[in-house]
Amino acid sequence: MTDLTKLTIAEARDALKKGDFKATELTDAYIHAIEAANPAINAYVAVTADHARKMAKASDERISQKKAGALEGIPLGVKDLYATYDIHTQACSHILDNFKPKYESTVTSNLWADGAVMLGKLNMDEFAMGSSNETSYYGPVINPWRAEGSDEKLVPGGSSGGSAAAVAAHLCAGATATDTGGSIRQPAAFTGTVGIKPTYGRCSRWGIIAFASSLDQAGPIGRDVRDCAILLKSMASFDEKDSTSADMPVPDYEASIGKSVKGMKIGIPKEYRVDGMSEEIMALWQKGIDWLKEAGAEIVNISLPHTKYALPAYYIVAPAEASSNLARYDGVRYGLRVPGKDIIEMYENTRSEGFGHEVKRRILIGTYVLSAGYYDAYYLKAQKVRTLIKQDFDKCFEAGIDAILTPATPTAAFGIADKKLKNDPVAMYLNDIFTVTVNMAGLPGISLPAGLSKNGLPLGLQLIGKPFGEEQLFQTANIIEQAAGKFSPQKWW
Ligand code: GLN
């Protein structure tokens, strides 16, 4: 039999229904692939093989009784930020050592209710803070892609680096991820996979460890646009347990695949032509414009004048919310506890040992910008900038723009422990330059591979949609995917 891990979710779903193979066989194929690859790639921080086999067996029973759910028997990986009942859930932080929640996130509950199989928990930047997966307590993830003729280890992007690498290396059929400032879209771009950050409120945040609550959103990473549409349909729901979740029906996103973009208006924002952007990225963007034009879309030059303030404002709002959300990790209720002579010293010891360097930096920044005297100068101002950013987008959509096309990242994947980035956090933060605006405005954004760099690494384009315009994003992304083709790394592991 051909390698079952090669199948997309749509292909596996249809073959399972026809009885071409069993869900248990598909799950076994993935478990074997993980066992062989994980020592090299480090995408999984916990593999739940027995649990997966049990779930797959139950799927086979439901398939034979003609009771298959939308994702029946499909093996998925779960970002370590999602609470999974009685299973390792640590946001890849030392401070949550041995935390096994007695509850399940709404998004993963939805997936299991639709018949999906859980393979394990995926590596990520600690508390989702990072753009390279190097801040994980469990060590970096290695990108399955290598530059042509080189064996240098590259980062898969972050913070959902494990999700993106696992999907690219065929260590799961699809994965859950989260995106606060680009953590679905940037790793998708670095690994030749597709990732969508839905509109804020489309997926419930309940049971997802909070980073910055007004920006966090769950979404899938998949091997193609259709697979992301299938996954999002199951992940999204209204949830009474998350007051920010949207009480709106979830459309059949897969039905958008194959629809024409004739007459759609695609905006090209001039502010995304940033200084020092490489020729390759410029050329890729132009290719995307040409493909959509050929498919009948109208290309419109637009302006989003407050774009340049988005990154600095994000790096105030996100740490501010993080400093508040992370106050709960004090050694009392969960995870690590490092004793001290009294309770204050116990807090201090636990937090200084339990949090990594980047997380501490964010807590310090966040505490500073929220403190008396600085609140108005930083936090309040950043919130006002956020409103202006949102208004820029509102104006374009009111003027009839259906979706906006931009590059996903300013570069292709870079080397592990790249010195410049290691010593300069701002250089690392610049990875998010094209993605943070979308979170600040609460909009949906999809990243998909559109070509290769001259040394053979994947490069991504991003489409930004109107609030709850996910269907148009799938529709438009599929047109680009048809033109660009799909991209897979050469296996070296
Ligand atoms: N790289 C960004 C950060 O470090 C975004 C992270 C995310 O989206 N979770 O904050």
Side-chain angles (χ1 to χ4, degrees):
M1 196 183 301
T2 52
D3 182 357
L4 297 181
T5 68
K6 292 271 183 293
L7 301 174
T8 63
I9 292 178
E11 289 164 349
R13 171 193 65 186
D14 298 346
L16 280 166
K17 271 207 195 108
K18 277 200 290 172
D20 292 352
F21 48 81
K22 293 206 167 304
T24 38
E25 292 172 76
L26 183 62
T27 289
D28 274 332
Y30 276 107
I31 291 169
H32 292 143
I34 296 167
E35 280 165 358
N38 211 47
I41 293 181
N42 200 27
Y44 281 85
V45 293
V47 180
T48 52
D50 293 344
H51 186 63
R53 288 190 173 108
K54 255 189 232 148
M55 289 178 97
K57 210 160 159 250
S59 282
D60 281 330
E61 274 157 33
R62 285 191 293 267
I63 292 169
S64 68
Q65 295 160 359
K66 304 251 175 291
K67 286 187 191 152
L71 284 171
E72 201 63 71
I74 302 296
L76 303 178
V78 175
K79 186 176 181 178
D80 199 30
L81 207 60
Y82 289 71
T84 41
Y85 185 88
D86 235 356
I87 289 168
H88 178 111
T89 299
Q90 290 184 210
C92 284
S93 179
H94 184 30
I95 209 156
L96 275 169
D97 271 1
N98 301 318
F99 179 53
K100 293 193 170 80
K102 292 291 172 203
Y103 49 88
E104 181 84 26
S105 82
T106 299
V107 166
T108 48
S109 300
N110 290 345
L111 291 169
W112 316 144
D114 274 351
V117 168
M118 164 145 121
L119 292 169
K121 299 304 284 286
L122 293 163
N123 206 339
M124 55 179 282
D125 279 299
E126 185 181 2
F127 283 105
M129 297 172 190
S131 305
S132 64
N133 214 117
E134 291 168 295
T135 71
S136 168
Y137 181 64
Y138 294 89
V141 174
I142 310 300
N143 194 328
W145 286 83
R146 286 172 162 179
E148 247 163 50
S150 163
D151 59 7
E152 187 194 7
K153 290 177 179 168
L154 302 177
V155 304
S159 66
S160 311
S163 306
V167 171
H170 295 196
L171 308 183
C172 58
T176 71
T178 60
D179 190 312
T180 303
S183 280
I184 290 177
R185 292 159 289 154
Q186 184 254 18
F190 277 14
T191 56
T193 56
V194 181
I196 182 165
K197 180 204 95 74
T199 311
Y200 184 76
R202 182 67 289 184
C203 291
S204 168
R205 289 180 297 109
W206 195 84
I208 298 175
I209 296 172
F211 165 8
S213 307
S214 76
L215 300 159
D216 298 343
Q217 205 18 229
I221 293 182
R223 281 191 224 139
D224 62 15
V225 177
R226 181 186 293 272
D227 280 4
C228 280
I230 295 170
L231 287 170
L232 184 60
K233 166 87 177 141
S234 289
M235 291 168 72
S237 66
F238 167 60
D239 182 6
E240 278 176 357
K241 289 187 283 196
D242 173 4
S243 59
T244 64
S245 87
D247 189 0
M248 286 169 74
V250 181
D252 175 8
Y253 295 121
E254 200 182 352
S256 306
I257 309 289
K259 282 198 181 153
S260 157
V261 292
K262 220 180 192 111
M264 260 175 90
K265 282 192 178 166
I266 306 295
I268 310 297
K270 66 168 190 271
E271 291 78 8
Y272 282 60
R273 286 176 208 282
V274 293
D275 283 349
M277 194 154 99
S278 77
E279 287 289 314
E280 299 193 304
I281 303 279
M282 288 296 287
L284 182 87
W285 196 8
Q286 188 55 49
K287 260 205 283 185
I289 293 171
D290 294 343
W291 287 327
L292 292 177
K293 213 191 270 175
E294 277 159 33
E298 187 187 333
I299 304 298
V300 186
N301 288 320
I302 59 166
S303 174
L304 298 165
H306 296 92
T307 299
K308 64 171 181 286
Y309 305 113
L311 197 66
Y314 169 85
Y315 275 97
I316 289 174
V317 173
E321 294 185 17
S323 70
S324 159
N325 274 326
L326 271 59
R328 74 191 72 176
Y329 306 107
D330 54 9
V332 176
R333 279 162 294 186
Y334 344 71
L336 183 75
R337 175 180 302 169
V338 183
K341 67 176 183 319
D342 54 22
I343 191 160
I344 299 291
E345 200 181 272
M346 187 278 284
Y347 290 160
E348 287 171 357
N349 291 349
T350 301
R351 286 170 70 84
S352 52
E353 206 172 291
F355 288 133
H357 199 67
E358 183 60 27
V359 173
K360 283 181 191 156
R361 188 190 339 259
R362 306 283 179 115
I363 294 173
L364 287 171
I365 296 171
T367 308
Y368 180 81
V369 299
L370 288 177
S371 56
Y374 296 105
Y375 183 92
D376 290 359
Y378 295 109
Y379 184 69
L380 203 61
K381 207 172 203 173
Q383 291 289 31
K384 288 181 181 166
V385 169
R386 186 172 183 179
T387 303
L388 294 173
I389 292 165
K390 170 136 192 348
Q391 285 171 354
D392 284 353
F393 283 107
D394 290 346
K395 280 183 200 144
C396 290
F397 294 131
E398 276 159 24
I401 297 295
D402 294 297
I404 296 168
L405 180 73
T406 77
T409 57
T411 64
F414 45 87
I416 295 253
D418 181 312
K419 281 218 179 56
K420 189 169 158 287
L421 294 173
K422 212 167 186 139
N423 301 326
D424 181 357
V426 175
M428 186 65 91
Y429 298 168
L430 281 169
N431 266 286
D432 309 323
I433 190 145
F434 300 135
T435 50
V436 290
T437 50
V438 175
N439 303 71
M440 292 294 264
L443 301 172
I446 190 166
S447 159
L448 76 158
L452 296 178
S453 69
K454 55 180 176 314
N455 57 358
L457 295 173
L459 296 171
L461 286 174
Q462 170 179 238
L463 284 157
I464 304 169
K466 297 178 201 178
F468 301 98
E470 284 82 3
E471 287 165 286
Q472 281 155 315
L473 293 188
F474 287 125
Q475 179 181 349
T476 317
N478 177 246
I479 299 290
I480 296 180
E481 182 178 64
Q482 295 297 320
K486 293 189 195 174
F487 303 88
S488 279
Q490 292 271 347
K491 195 168 171 195
W492 51 264
W493 54 91

